[in-house]
Amino acid sequence: MRAALALIKILVVVHTVVADTSTTPFHDFFPKERDALRQLRDVVNSTANLHHNWTGPPCFQDQSQWVGIMCSNWHVTHLVLEGISLTGSLPPAFLQNITFLTILSFKRNSLYGTLPNLTNLAYLQVVRFSHNSFSGSIPSEYAELPKLTKFELQGNNIDGPIPPFDQQTLTDFNVSYNRLEGPIPKTSILQSFPGSSYEHNSGLCGTPLGIPCPVSPPLPVPSPGAPPGKKESLQVWSIVLIAAAAALIPFSVMLVFLCYYRRVQEKNTQAEQEPGMTDVSQSEL
């Protein structure tokens, strides 16, 4: 009887474990995170052989068998693939579904193409893309990551302006050795970093670098009371009148000369027709 009760207890325990396992989402738990990482795995090459190592679910509770992955509460929280000769271009939006990501690092690899989209990553704290071959501009949404503490982008081919990062959490920032241009934004955070964070960007200027930015010439101010466009129209008419006057001067001189010549001729005619002159002429005949 006791043996039968013991067997029943064992069966109950086994049934409970099986039931718990069957309800645990082992294979399909957060499949979007798994599928997002598979997108990366399928387009890059590396010495870590991700095709061999990234199989099965990326997380089992707080553990992961995937290279470079750390988990918490079944979610992927760290994606750190550093110095493993990653080669290729990142899928542009593959990270948007890994919404609990806090650390993202691809530094010291051979990645190229544009920087990935980091929209929806409200928990992201550390971004390290340094020493690759990324090109294009820094996406504006990077300046909106609310918990960003470290941003490293040095040693790439990034161009364009620096977005106005102003997160009070930001303690490390480096965009040196790129092709950035324009003024360093005058946010309190970006102005607080040293020149070494910005050096070797030939188009950058601003206080941290000690390079003054060019001053744009002021726009012309219209005269008081003159409506917009009136001044320009007056200037055009002035030019027309000056040109007309220049054309009329020779004509005026000729007209004066003709008037003078006509007047002399009239005087000569009148002199010929005076009475004394006429009598003298007849007496001589």
Side-chain angles (χ1 to χ4, degrees):
M1 184 68 178
R2 291 180 179 178
L5 289 174
L7 180 60
I8 291 172
K9 288 181 180 180
I10 292 172
L11 291 174
V12 169
V13 171
V14 171
H15 175 75
T16 302
V17 172
V18 171
D20 288 343
T21 304
S22 64
T23 57
T24 299
F26 183 81
H27 292 293
D28 294 322
F29 200 73
F30 304 120
K32 290 184 178 180
E33 294 184 5
R34 177 201 60 197
D35 294 344
L37 293 171
R38 283 179 176 177
Q39 287 183 51
L40 175 63
R41 178 195 68 181
D42 293 342
V43 297
V44 297
N45 296 311
S46 74
T47 56
N49 193 6
L50 299 184
H51 282 83
H52 176 74
N53 289 306
W54 282 14
T55 58
C59 296
F60 182 74
Q61 296 180 349
D62 289 345
Q63 302 296 321
S64 178
Q65 299 299 317
W66 288 28
V67 173
I69 301 296
M70 291 184 65
C71 303
S72 177
N73 295 324
W74 297 86
H75 285 288
V76 175
T77 58
H78 293 52
L79 175 53
V80 180
L81 300 173
E82 298 177 351
I84 58 172
S85 300
L86 273 178
T87 305
S89 179
L90 299 178
F94 80 104
L95 291 166
Q96 291 184 351
N97 289 321
I98 312 179
T99 53
F100 287 86
L101 197 63
T102 60
I103 297 179
L104 174 63
S105 182
F106 294 127
K107 71 179 184 181
R108 296 195 307 272
N109 283 294
S110 300
L111 295 170
Y112 53 84
T114 57
L115 295 170
N117 191 322
L118 303 182
T119 304
N120 298 333
L121 303 184
Y123 297 96
L124 193 58
Q125 299 175 16
V126 177
V127 175
R128 293 189 174 110
F129 295 151
S130 54
H131 304 293
N132 280 279
S133 297
F134 288 113
S135 57
S137 60
I138 303 174
S140 59
E141 69 265 15
Y142 284 20
E144 300 172 4
L145 296 169
K147 295 188 177 183
L148 189 64
T149 61
K150 301 179 188 297
F151 184 74
E152 298 176 6
L153 192 58
Q154 65 268 30
N156 282 281
N157 298 313
I158 303 298
D159 56 24
I162 300 174
F165 289 85
D166 201 23
Q167 296 93 322
Q168 299 303 307
T169 55
L170 196 57
T171 57
D172 291 329
F173 185 85
N174 197 327
V175 293
S176 60
Y177 292 89
N178 279 285
R179 299 176 180 177
L180 295 166
E181 56 190 6
I184 298 170
K186 293 185 177 180
T187 64
S188 59
I189 293 298
L190 291 183
Q191 293 293 314
S192 68
F193 292 111
S196 58
S197 294
Y198 305 102
E199 63 186 2
H200 293 281
N201 285 281
S202 59
L204 274 185
C205 61
T207 302
L209 285 170
I211 300 174
C213 296
V215 179
S216 301
L219 295 174
V221 179
S223 59
K230 184 87 180 264
K231 185 176 181 181
E232 288 142 10
S233 62
L234 288 174
Q235 290 176 348
V236 172
W237 274 109
S238 299
I239 294 171
V240 171
L241 289 174
I242 291 170
L248 287 174
I249 286 173
F251 177 75
S252 300
V253 173
M254 184 179 292
L255 184 62
V256 171
F257 176 77
L258 288 174
C259 290
Y260 175 77
Y261 178 77
R262 185 177 178 182
R263 189 173 179 182
V264 170
Q265 288 295 102
E266 287 177 353
K267 285 183 178 181
N268 292 335
T269 303
Q270 288 177 0
E272 291 174 357
Q273 293 179 355
E274 286 181 359
M277 294 296 294
T278 305
D279 295 341
V280 170
S281 300
Q282 289 177 354
S283 63
E284 289 178 352
L285 292 172

